[in-house]
Protein backbone atom coordinates (compact mmCIF):
# COMPACT_ATOMS: atom_id res chain seq x y z
CA UNK A 1 0.00 0.00 0.00
CA UNK A 2 2.74 2.52 0.87
CA UNK A 3 4.77 1.63 -2.22
CA UNK A 4 1.62 1.97 -4.32
CA UNK A 5 0.89 5.39 -2.79
CA UNK A 6 4.48 6.47 -3.48
CA UNK A 7 4.27 5.29 -7.09
CA UNK A 8 0.97 7.12 -7.52
CA UNK A 9 2.47 10.32 -6.10
CA UNK A 10 5.48 10.06 -8.42
CA UNK A 11 3.25 9.35 -11.42
CA UNK A 12 1.08 12.31 -10.50
CA UNK A 13 4.13 14.57 -10.41
CA UNK A 14 5.30 13.35 -13.85
CA UNK A 15 1.81 13.99 -15.24
CA UNK A 16 1.89 17.50 -13.76
CA UNK A 17 5.26 18.18 -15.43
CA UNK A 18 3.82 17.02 -18.75
CA UNK A 19 0.80 19.33 -18.40
CA UNK A 20 2.61 22.54 -17.50
CA UNK A 21 5.96 22.26 -19.28
CA UNK A 22 6.39 21.42 -22.97
CA UNK A 23 10.10 20.65 -22.54
CA UNK A 24 9.32 18.49 -19.51
CA UNK A 25 6.79 16.58 -21.57
CA UNK A 26 9.32 16.12 -24.38
CA UNK A 27 11.98 15.02 -21.87
CA UNK A 28 9.59 12.41 -20.44
CA UNK A 29 8.84 11.16 -23.96
CA UNK A 30 12.55 10.80 -24.78
CA UNK A 31 13.12 9.03 -21.46
CA UNK A 32 10.35 6.51 -22.16
CA UNK A 33 11.50 5.90 -25.73
CA UNK A 34 15.11 5.37 -24.67
CA UNK A 35 13.98 2.85 -22.07
CA UNK A 36 12.10 0.88 -24.74
CA UNK A 37 9.26 0.52 -22.28
CA UNK A 38 6.54 0.85 -24.89
CA UNK A 39 4.48 3.27 -22.80
CA UNK A 40 4.51 6.95 -21.87
CA UNK A 41 1.81 6.55 -19.24
CA UNK A 42 3.49 7.18 -15.87
CA UNK A 43 1.09 4.76 -14.16
CA UNK A 44 2.57 1.91 -16.21
CA UNK A 45 6.07 2.40 -14.77
CA UNK A 46 7.72 1.40 -11.52
CA UNK A 47 8.38 3.84 -8.70
CA UNK A 48 12.12 3.43 -9.35
CA UNK A 49 11.73 4.36 -13.03
CA UNK A 50 9.65 7.44 -12.14
CA UNK A 51 12.01 8.49 -9.35
CA UNK A 52 15.06 8.25 -11.64
CA UNK A 53 13.35 10.56 -14.13
CA UNK A 54 12.33 13.06 -11.46
CA UNK A 55 15.77 13.09 -9.82
CA UNK A 56 17.46 14.01 -13.12
CA UNK A 57 14.69 16.44 -14.08
CA UNK A 58 14.95 18.24 -10.72
CA UNK A 59 18.71 18.67 -11.24
CA UNK A 60 18.15 20.15 -14.70
CA UNK A 61 19.75 17.14 -16.39
CA UNK A 62 18.45 15.13 -19.32
CA UNK A 63 17.22 11.86 -17.76
CA UNK A 64 18.85 8.75 -19.21
CA UNK A 65 17.19 5.46 -18.39
CA UNK A 66 19.19 2.31 -18.00
CA UNK A 67 17.62 -1.09 -18.19
CA UNK A 68 18.71 -2.90 -15.07
CA UNK A 69 19.94 -6.44 -15.48
CA UNK A 70 16.90 -8.60 -14.90
CA UNK A 71 14.32 -5.82 -15.34
CA UNK A 72 11.05 -7.18 -16.75
CA UNK A 73 11.41 -5.61 -20.21
CA UNK A 74 15.18 -5.81 -20.61
CA UNK A 75 15.73 -6.59 -24.28
CA UNK A 76 12.16 -7.80 -24.76
CA UNK A 77 10.64 -4.62 -26.18
CA UNK A 78 11.57 -3.78 -29.76
CA UNK A 79 10.76 -0.55 -31.57
CA UNK A 80 9.63 -1.03 -35.17
CA UNK A 81 10.03 1.87 -37.59
CA UNK A 82 9.06 2.47 -41.19
CA UNK A 83 5.78 0.60 -40.95
CA UNK A 84 3.05 1.25 -43.51
CA UNK A 85 0.65 3.85 -42.11
CA UNK A 86 -2.18 1.42 -42.79
CA UNK A 87 -0.62 -1.32 -40.61
CA UNK A 88 -2.60 -2.18 -37.50
CA UNK A 89 -1.66 -4.15 -34.40
CA UNK A 90 -3.18 -7.30 -35.91
CA UNK A 91 -1.06 -6.92 -39.08
CA UNK A 92 2.10 -6.62 -37.02
CA UNK A 93 1.12 -9.58 -34.81
CA UNK A 94 0.51 -11.71 -37.91
CA UNK A 95 3.91 -10.66 -39.34
CA UNK A 96 5.58 -11.74 -36.08
CA UNK A 97 3.32 -14.71 -35.27
CA UNK A 98 6.17 -17.22 -35.60
CA UNK A 99 7.73 -15.50 -32.54
CA UNK A 100 4.61 -15.90 -30.43
CA UNK A 101 3.47 -12.26 -30.75
CA UNK A 102 -0.22 -11.51 -30.29
CA UNK A 103 -2.10 -8.30 -30.96
CA UNK A 104 -2.01 -7.41 -27.25
CA UNK A 105 1.80 -7.26 -27.36
CA UNK A 106 1.82 -4.50 -29.99
CA UNK A 107 1.60 -0.79 -29.18
CA UNK A 108 1.19 1.52 -32.17
CA UNK A 109 2.49 5.09 -32.03
CA UNK A 110 0.47 8.03 -33.31
CA UNK A 111 1.30 11.65 -34.08
CA UNK A 112 -0.16 14.53 -32.06
CA UNK A 113 -3.04 14.80 -34.52
CA UNK A 114 -3.92 11.11 -34.14
CA UNK A 115 -2.42 9.80 -37.36
CA UNK A 116 -0.27 6.66 -37.46
CA UNK A 117 3.44 7.49 -37.08
CA UNK A 118 4.74 4.36 -38.82
CA UNK A 119 6.24 3.16 -35.53
CA UNK A 120 5.27 0.52 -32.99
CA UNK A 121 6.65 -1.25 -29.93
CA UNK A 122 6.43 -5.02 -29.64
CA UNK A 123 6.98 -6.99 -26.43
CA UNK A 124 8.43 -10.45 -26.98
CA UNK A 125 8.37 -13.39 -24.55
CA UNK A 126 12.13 -13.16 -23.93
CA UNK A 127 15.24 -11.30 -24.96
CA UNK A 128 16.35 -14.30 -27.07
CA UNK A 129 13.09 -14.36 -29.00
CA UNK A 130 13.35 -10.59 -29.60
CA UNK A 131 16.93 -10.92 -30.85
CA UNK A 132 15.96 -13.78 -33.19
CA UNK A 133 13.11 -11.73 -34.62
CA UNK A 134 15.41 -8.76 -35.18
CA UNK A 135 18.00 -10.92 -36.89
CA UNK A 136 15.56 -12.73 -39.12
CA UNK A 137 13.16 -9.87 -39.97
CA UNK A 138 15.48 -6.87 -40.14
CA UNK A 139 16.31 -6.85 -43.86
Amino acid sequence: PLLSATREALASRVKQIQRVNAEGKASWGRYCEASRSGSRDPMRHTAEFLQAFLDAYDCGEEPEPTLQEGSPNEGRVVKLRGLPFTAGALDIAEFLAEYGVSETQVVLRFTKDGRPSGEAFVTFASRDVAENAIQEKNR
Side-chain angles (χ1 to χ4, degrees):
L2 179 59
L3 181 60
S4 176
T6 301
R7 187 171 72 80
E8 286 180 22
L10 294 170
S12 178
R13 180 145 179 256
V14 170
K15 287 180 179 183
Q16 181 66 21
I17 288 169
Q18 291 182 72
R19 278 193 291 272
V20 300
N21 183 323
E23 182 50 39
K25 181 176 183 174
S27 181
W28 171 253
R30 289 188 298 271
Y31 181 71
C32 291
E33 280 196 30
S35 74
R36 298 170 63 174
S37 68
S39 176
R40 289 188 182 195
D41 179 357
M43 290 304 296
R44 292 181 173 250
H45 295 283
T46 65
E48 294 81 12
F49 184 86
L50 298 167
Q51 188 65 60
F53 170 80
L54 292 168
D55 288 346
Y57 181 81
D58 289 342
C59 292
E61 299 171 358
E62 182 69 21
E64 294 183 25
T66 56
L67 285 174
Q68 303 285 324
E69 193 72 33
S71 75
N73 287 328
E74 179 193 7
R76 293 180 43 214
V77 178
V78 175
K79 181 177 182 180
L80 306 180
R81 300 181 329 166
L83 299 170
F85 295 123
T86 57
L90 182 59
D91 298 315
I92 296 166
E94 287 174 356
F95 177 70
L96 298 170
E98 65 192 278
Y99 305 99
V101 173
S102 69
E103 192 174 0
T104 61
Q105 294 166 268
V106 178
V107 176
L108 294 170
R109 295 211 40 217
F110 295 90
T111 62
K112 290 178 189 174
D113 60 358
R115 293 181 177 165
S117 68
E119 297 178 345
F121 290 94
V122 178
T123 304
F124 291 87
S126 71
R127 181 184 193 136
D128 290 339
V129 174
E131 288 175 358
N132 285 340
I134 291 169
Q135 243 180 353
E136 294 170 7
K137 296 289 189 180
N138 192 20
R139 298 173 191 208

